[in-house]
Each structure stands twice: as structure tokens, then as C-alpha cells.
Amino acid sequence: MRTQVGIIGAGPSGLLLSQLLHLQGIDSVVLERRSADYVLGRIRAGVLEQGMVDMLRAAGCSERMDREGLVHDGFEICFGENRQRIDLKKHTGTSVMVYGQTELTKDLMDAREAAGAAVVYEAEDVQILDLDTDTPRLIYQKDGTEHEVVCDYIAGCDGFHGISRRAMPESVLKEHERVYPFGWLGILSETKPVADELIYVNHWRGFALCSMRSMTRSRYYIQCAFDENLEEWTDDRFWDELRVRLPGEAAESIEMGPSIEKSIAPLRSFVAEPMRHGRLFLAGDAAHIVPPTGAKGLNLAASDIYFLSNALTGFYADGRTDLMDSYSEKCLNRIWKAERFSWWMTTVLHRFPEQNSFDRGIQLAELEYLTTSEPAQASFAENYVGLPFE
Ligand code: APR
Ligand code: PHB
């Protein structure tokens, strides 16, 4: 098989890139090692920056999001007896869209299928060959047969555990990482959200977050030990711990119910540089990871794909190579600012096992300053809604 762009991974990054290239008349093949149902079964992010919303609209995949998504103009931060709303709309003129990653991935899958796209699910043992030639190849196993895709370029959209980053020469690749000493225990339940907007909580027992997927489907998280045993967390134990950490009114009014999904996610900050080597481009989680506190993971994939789709379009339409040459630097400039913001939110809102009274005093001072200073809230808001794609 021959294509212009070989894409590894059918998560949001790979599918969005494939759809945007298609609209520019650029051919791609997407190789995904899991089944479509497995990809959709992963419960991930839920808050879209305006940049991602705009990308989905440009990709012609926004009809359901615009119908079912929830536009949020702000959210609350709670600590001790303090509850402060951060007014995103007032400080930035923009909002965020609450719409599950599962839903937007389904919308992208449906668009690719409607276009008759070559998205190969359950493509096993994908390998990148001849990367240092003008015709790099992808080979994979499917139904007991080896298949080959000869490409002009390869987009590594295969997430943190994928193969693309490992195809970068060790002499070239630099990795930067911070692993946090806790995780997030999250549940999904068919219950009415406790509030109309998100609630982030810094409690002395640990972080908590009240989110949602719709006005009938709630998403809650509590900070837990990174090596917590999920089987020891019954629904009742989760609800009890969540209610201890919530402000009194919310704890009293929250609607509880059976979990339809329950999982523990580790928290990590990670950046791989550069994001291009010859004809290989890394995008999304393949190149970077943020702790979910700032809701940046999915939205960083959007800006990577914005820069990459423009670079590939510039090449095929006008023979330009400058956008390819600047791809990595442009992505990383925005990625590091999102890494900083996500690290800061995580540091301020979580209970660190080793933190002493001075550390706790600094956390409370950070939160007190944020919740009482308009300029501080304006700076926080512009980071939360997403810095420009520039
Ligand atoms: N071969 C083929 N496919 C692979 C391989 C491989 N060797 N390794 C991983 N994949 C697939 C995974 O099965 C997954 O479907 O690549 C896809 C990567 O998707 P994501 O991990 O969702 O990464 P990305 O598309 O960049 O989206 C980032 O997803 O993980 C969340 O929090 C993250 O919200 C962010 C978003
Ligand atoms: C979610 O709804 O899953 C969510 C929302 C906001 C975050 C993290 C996760 O910061």
C-alpha cells in the first residue's frame, strides 16, 4: 500500500490529523493496534479549549459536540471554608466546552468511516522501517498476514506507550519527566452533577474534583496513593471519601449512584524533544504528558495537530518545508507553558505525602492570593482556557 502520510494511532491526535489532511486532499493511512471499541472504552478527558472546539469545527466533526456539549464560563476552587468562582468568560472572553474525549473520538471515527478512510484497527506489531530514507515504511500484522505501507511522512500519534518516540535516535531525543507521588481515582456515574460547573477542591485529606459528561452523567475524582488497590474501593467507600472532601453544601446535596466506570490514573509531567526527526513527526501523548489537573492533555494534542496539519498541507500544496522545520519548536513553546500550568495547579491543589507545615502554608497562600486577586485570576484563566496556537 502507498500513502502520503502514515499515522500510527487512532486516538484523538491520529484521527483528527487524518481528517484534516483528508479535507486538504492529502491521503493517509491510520494504523491502530486496538479495536475501535477498545479505544472508545477508555474514559479520558472532558474539557475542551476553544482551540480544540475550533479544530473539530474545521474538521467538520462538531455537529454533536455543538448539540450536546456544555459551554462553561467558569468553575469553582474550594479550600478550607473558601469557595471562589473563577470567571473564565469575564477574564478571557472565552469559555470551555465540556464534552467527553470518548464522544469526540467517536465523532472523528464516524467522519473517517464516512469518508471511506483507511483506518486499520487491530493492526499488530507495527514497525517503522527505512526512516532515514525518502520512503519510510510501516509494516504490521493483521489476520496472520504482514502488510506494508510506504509513506512520504510518518505521524507518531501512538501515545505515551507507543513505538514512535522510541524510533527517534537516542543521540537526538531528550526526555524530561516528573512523576507525582499520588494518583487519581475516578468514577463515572449516571447521576446529576453536584453543580452546574466544575469544582476543584484542595482538602487536607487530598484533592477532589467534581466534573461531568452531561447533566445526567457525572465524573468525580479523588486523589489517592499511586499504588492504591482499585478493588479496595467500593462505590460506597468512594462516595464517603468524596463527600468528606467536598464543601458542606455539596456534600449534602450530591446525588450518588453506582459507578459505570472506575479507574486509577497515575500523574506525570513528561516532555520529549525534539518532536521531529527527518520524516517522523511526534504528536499528542507520544511527545508529552501532563497531569490531568489543568485539563491540558487532549488540548495539547489539538495544537500539535494544528501545527502538523498546516505543515503537511504547506508541503503538499506549495512545496513549503519551513513549517515542517519549525514544527517542533512551535509545539514545544506551547507545550512547556501548559506543562508549567498543569504542574502548578497540581502542586497547589494536592496533598503531597512529604509536605511539611511550610509547604502547606505556601499552598494556602497561593490559593488565597489566586482567589482574592483579579489579576491573578486573569492570568490563571488565560492559561486554563488555553494559550493561543502561535
Ligand atoms: N501501534 C498502533 N497503535 C498504537 C501503538 C502501536 N504500537 N501504541 C499505541 N497505539 C494507539 C493506542 O492504542 C491509542 O489508541 O495509539 C493511540 C494513542 O491515543 P492516545 O493515547 O489517546 O493519545 P492521543 O491521540 O495523543 O490523545 C491524547 O488522549 O490519553 C489521552 O490524556 C490524553 O487526552 C489526551 C489524549
Ligand atoms: C474530566 O471531566 O475528566 C476532567 C475535567 C477537568 C480536569 C480533569 C478531568 O481538570
Side-chain angles (χ1 to χ4, degrees):
M1 191 187 308
R2 182 73 173 80
T3 191
Q4 290 170 301
V5 183
I7 299 173
I8 309 174
S13 295
L15 292 169
L16 180 57
L17 177 61
S18 177
Q19 177 66 5
L20 290 170
L21 293 176
H22 165 68
L23 296 178
Q24 297 297 325
I26 300 168
D27 185 54
S28 66
V29 172
V30 181
L31 302 182
E32 166 56 53
R33 71 175 170 184
R34 302 289 191 179
S35 68
D37 286 345
Y38 185 98
V39 173
L40 292 173
R42 295 187 301 230
I43 304 301
R44 295 287 173 73
V47 172
L48 309 185
E49 296 172 357
Q50 189 61 47
M52 171 59 100
V53 169
D54 293 343
M55 295 276 287
L56 290 168
R57 288 175 179 156
C61 301
S62 64
E63 188 270 333
R64 190 160 69 105
M65 175 191 68
D66 285 324
R67 188 174 68 249
E68 298 178 5
L70 303 172
V71 177
H72 281 204
D73 293 339
F75 58 83
E76 279 193 326
I77 288 183
C78 302
F79 63 105
E81 294 307 311
N82 304 283
R83 284 184 78 162
Q84 173 67 39
R85 183 171 185 269
I86 304 292
D87 191 334
L88 301 172
K89 188 84 171 184
K90 178 179 81 172
H91 291 296
T92 69
T94 56
S95 312
V96 291
M97 174 79 79
V98 172
Y99 188 66
Q101 176 172 320
T102 300
E103 308 315 321
L104 76 84
T105 303
K106 177 78 169 65
D107 297 339
L108 287 165
M109 285 180 176
D110 291 349
R112 299 311 297 125
E113 186 176 3
V119 181
V120 181
Y121 291 98
E122 296 176 296
E124 298 174 352
D125 191 20
V126 175
Q127 296 180 46
I128 301 172
L129 303 175
D130 303 339
L131 186 55
D132 294 331
T133 71
D134 290 343
T135 52
R137 295 181 296 133
L138 298 174
I139 61 172
Y140 65 95
Q141 306 296 323
K142 174 100 176 161
D143 302 329
T145 305
E146 180 168 288
H147 302 264
E148 178 187 73
V149 185
V150 180
C151 319
D152 293 339
Y153 293 98
I154 292 173
C157 300
D158 48 350
F160 183 67
H161 300 291
I163 60 166
S164 302
R165 191 172 64 252
R166 293 200 296 268
M168 306 276 280
E170 284 188 16
S171 59
V172 169
L173 187 68
K174 291 182 178 54
E175 297 180 324
H176 317 276
E177 182 174 58
R178 169 161 296 182
V179 177
Y180 297 91
F182 40 73
W184 278 18
L185 168 56
I187 71 164
L188 206 54
S189 62
E190 296 294 355
T191 54
K192 181 179 183 303
V194 70
D196 291 339
E197 296 179 330
L198 273 56
I199 303 175
Y200 288 83
V201 184
N202 172 303
H203 188 275
W204 66 267
R205 289 174 65 91
F207 170 82
L209 171 59
C210 301
S211 185
M212 63 195 77
R213 292 295 177 267
S214 70
M215 290 317 287
T216 60
R217 178 171 286 195
S218 301
R219 179 70 168 164
Y220 294 107
Y221 299 96
I222 56 173
Q223 173 186 343
C224 65
F226 68 90
D227 57 355
E228 197 70 61
N229 180 351
L230 186 60
E231 291 174 5
E232 293 176 5
W233 281 89
T234 62
D235 287 1
D236 287 347
R237 183 185 174 196
F238 179 90
W239 291 117
D240 289 347
E241 184 60 36
L242 175 65
R243 293 177 67 225
V244 165
R245 300 186 189 184
L246 293 184
E249 182 187 334
E252 288 309 310
S253 65
I254 191 168
E255 180 185 336
M256 297 172 280
S259 59
I260 57 175
E261 192 272 350
K262 192 188 302 180
S263 55
I264 293 176
L267 272 66
R268 170 196 322 269
S269 297
F270 174 84
V271 178
E273 303 180 271
M275 291 173 57
R276 180 210 182 175
H277 176 70
R279 291 176 176 269
L280 171 65
F281 295 87
L282 303 183
D285 274 16
H288 44 76
I289 297 287
V290 284
T293 326
K296 292 285 162 246
L298 180 56
N299 294 298
L300 278 179
S303 45
D304 290 354
I305 297 307
Y306 172 80
F307 294 126
L308 185 51
S309 58
N310 284 350
L312 291 165
T313 301
F315 172 75
Y316 284 109
D318 307 314
R320 293 179 63 177
T321 57
D322 59 319
L323 297 179
M324 289 181 173
D325 295 342
S326 62
Y327 167 74
S328 182
E329 183 182 355
K330 276 186 180 175
C331 288
L332 288 165
N333 181 278
R334 187 172 192 269
I335 288 161
W336 275 110
K337 292 172 186 167
E339 291 282 348
R340 180 208 66 82
F341 178 69
S342 304
W343 160 83
W344 181 85
M345 269 190 88
T346 302
T347 302
V348 168
L349 288 172
H350 289 75
R351 178 173 182 264
F352 284 70
E354 304 307 320
Q355 85 180 60
N356 61 24
S357 58
F358 176 81
D359 300 323
R360 181 64 177 159
I362 293 293
Q363 273 192 341
L364 295 176
E366 288 276 13
L367 290 164
E368 183 68 25
Y369 174 59
L370 172 62
T371 53
T372 56
S373 160
E374 287 286 306
Q377 290 174 33
S379 169
F380 180 93
E382 77 166 347
N383 280 280
Y384 191 91
V385 301
L387 298 177
F389 292 7
E390 59 185 12

